[in-house]
Amino acid sequence: MDEKGYHPGSAAARLGERLILAFTRTTQSDCVREVIVDGKTIELPLHKRVEIPVTMPASGDRVFTCGMKMFEGRVVVAK
């Protein structure tokens, strides 16, 4: 996560798959100090990896945003 957004901005997973979203903030920007996943706000300390376990939903994508909701990333269901 940097001042331009998430890298990569999207990834693919299977329905119901359990995975770990890993974030490392590399900028001082206020916008990216936290990430919102499943309605929960999680602090992202500078230059420290934060891992968030999630399970893909039965349908649709898993979306996450920065704290200010200016940047969005997603895990899409692989077809």
Side-chain angles (χ1 to χ4, degrees), residues 11-23 37-40 42 51-64 74-78:
R14 294 181 306 274
L15 290 176
E17 182 177 5
R18 294 180 189 168
L19 56 133
I20 303 279
L21 300 178
F23 299 90
V37 179
D38 294 337
K40 296 178 185 175
I42 298 141
E51 295 183 346
I52 303 167
V54 297
T55 301
M56 288 300 291
S59 63
D61 300 339
R62 171 81 58 203
V63 177
F64 48 91
R74 66 182 56 237
V75 181
V76 298
V77 174

Side-chain angles (χ1 to χ4, degrees), residues 11-77:
R14 294 181 306 274
L15 290 176
E17 182 177 5
R18 294 180 189 168
L19 56 133
I20 303 279
L21 300 178
F23 299 90
T24 303
R25 180 170 63 101
T26 61
T27 180
Q28 292 283 355
S29 173
D30 285 339
C31 182
V32 298
R33 289 180 188 258
E34 38 191 39
V35 64
I36 302 171
V37 179
D38 294 337
K40 296 178 185 175
T41 302
I42 298 141
E43 288 287 323
L44 297 177
L46 190 60
H47 300 300
K48 299 210 186 236
R49 182 181 171 106
V50 175
E51 295 183 346
I52 303 167
V54 297
T55 301
M56 288 300 291
S59 63
D61 300 339
R62 171 81 58 203
V63 177
F64 48 91
T65 67
C66 67
M68 294 181 177
K69 298 183 180 169
M70 294 174 62
F71 294 108
E72 179 180 285
R74 66 182 56 237
V75 181
V76 298
V77 174

